[in-house]
Amino acid sequence: MSTPQTAPSWRNWSGLESADGLEVVQPADADEVAEVVRRARAAGRTVKSAGTGHSFTGIARPQHVHLRPERMRGIVAVDRDAMTVTALAGTQLKVLNAELARLGLSLHNMGDIAEQTLAGAISTGTHGTGGRAAGLAAQVVGLELVTGTGEVLRASATENADVLDLGRVGLGALGVLTTITFAVEPLFLLRAEEQPMSWTDALAAFDDLTAAHDHVDMYWFPHSDRMLTKRNTRVGTDLAAAEPLPRWRAWLDDDLLSNTVFGAQTSALNLAPQAIPAANRLASRLLGPRSYTDVAHRVFTTERRVVFREMEYAVPREAGLDVLRECRAAFERSSLRVSFPVEIRVAPPDDVPLSTSYDRDSFYLAFHTHRRTDHRAYFAAMEPVLRAHGGRPHWGKVHTIDADDVAGLYPRLPDFLALRDRLDPDRVFTNSYLDRVLGD
Ligand SMILES: Cc1cc2nc3c(=O)[nH]c(=O)nc-3n(C[C@H](O)[C@H](O)[C@H](O)COP(=O)(O)OP(=O)(O)OC[C@H]3O[C@@H](n4cnc5c(N)ncnc54)[C@H](O)[C@@H]3O)c2cc1C
């Protein structure tokens, strides 16, 4: 194990959360994690395993001991009969995707970036979009974790099945994950089609689009009547049929326009918010249609270098379009100026007790601001609308709900809390965020 360092600090991607004066440890395996946990428990200190800090909330904020993921990376087993892959929990999604592609394999679905660690991504319920394929945690079929008493537990459908059931979205509250086993499938291609539409046409077409395509994403540009729609459709496993974007086009659209120009534009608009409505209307008109076919992970994920702040809620699918209309109405009654689009996604019901899509067809609405914009007035204007419809906030994105609210949103919460009492009786893994959303 690397020698613990004292006093370094931790900061999340958005810069909204930070901590100082931590003991930093980089364990390489479950035994090393167990030793740190036992030592911390005996000293009455807390341990937090953080991933890459891509959560906007303080869910990953260490208070005493900070476990870093760098020495727990890579694939450890591939089972082609069971079609599963086991990887160390600190592996970044982008590394897993590349390794899987080399093996001719793929995850079923994922979110829109691949920087996160596997443990971090599943622990907060990271999801993508699509009416058929659920989020990352629903693809997990096995776990290994170190409990708050320093015990190493393996969990699968046949061994500690309750730990697997509840630990897939574990919020970092049940233990330190050391390996994760995912169900995989043969590497497949997605046909991506992007098309601007009017607000009215996009809402009218939404149900048909989500029925006809495997993955649909929409982006509404505040202050405008325009939506960008993205639809991805599975087109098989014959990789020779790929028609990726030419390198120059990928660079122009995804690097220059989506990162460099968008970053400069939103920075400038942050200083001149009165220009935002006209700039959004112009930007939404400049977007043109495009289509391409590529291996799944290259279609699902892009690089995001423009740092922002985000709140996202899942509401019942059947209420989704009305909630979106209500959010727009609330926005237009306000004097808010917002330069980032509102993102709309869907997910099927899953069986992961603390997943935002647990047991219900879900419609996700995500609100973003520039990293230097005070997000509070915007999010506070939207949150009551989302909460009035039984909205469940993404655990890793800004929200204000507490343990009482969580109890009303998740019917299996009592089971989760009972498992937490069993696996972490002394709350070695707690922090102020977990105290707020789970109670102490
Ligand atoms: C640019 C950007 C794009 C995003 N896109 C999406 C998206 O498309 N869909 C979506 O749903 N979310 C998205 N997110 C949110 C992101 O996926 C989650 O916040 C995710 O949890 C971040 O993973 P991480 O590795 O950074 O974990 P962190 O944020 O560092 O940690 C998250 C949680 O995981 C726990 N954890 C980390 N490692 C371990 C371990 N070994 N054992 C136990 N617990 C552990 C931490 O303690 C904490 O509770 C996005 C975030 C950003 C910044």
Side-chain angles (χ1 to χ4, degrees), residues 49 51-55 59 112 116-117 120 124 126-127 177 345 394:
S49 196
T52 52
H54 277 68
S55 296
I59 190 166
D112 55 19
Q116 312 94 317
T117 59
T124 61
T126 296
H127 64 93
L177 295 162
R345 296 186 275 189
H394 191 303

Side-chain angles (χ1 to χ4, degrees), residues 126-143:
T126 296
H127 64 93
T129 187
R132 293 180 275 271
L136 281 167
Q139 302 169 48
V140 171
V141 295
L143 300 172

Side-chain angles (χ1 to χ4, degrees), residues 356-407:
T356 46
S357 282
Y358 176 70
D359 208 21
R360 75 182 191 197
D361 235 324
S362 298
F363 184 103
Y364 287 85
L365 300 100
F367 305 85
H368 309 75
T369 68
H370 186 268
R371 70 174 190 281
R372 283 193 294 271
T373 303
D374 187 343
H375 58 277
R376 285 174 294 188
Y378 180 32
F379 294 177
M382 301 298 117
E383 212 177 9
V385 180
L386 302 159
R387 289 186 58 175
H389 290 274
R392 293 172 175 158
H394 191 303
W395 298 105
K397 302 186 184 180
V398 177
H399 66 83
T400 62
I401 74 166
D402 62 19
D404 289 339
D405 305 314
V406 172

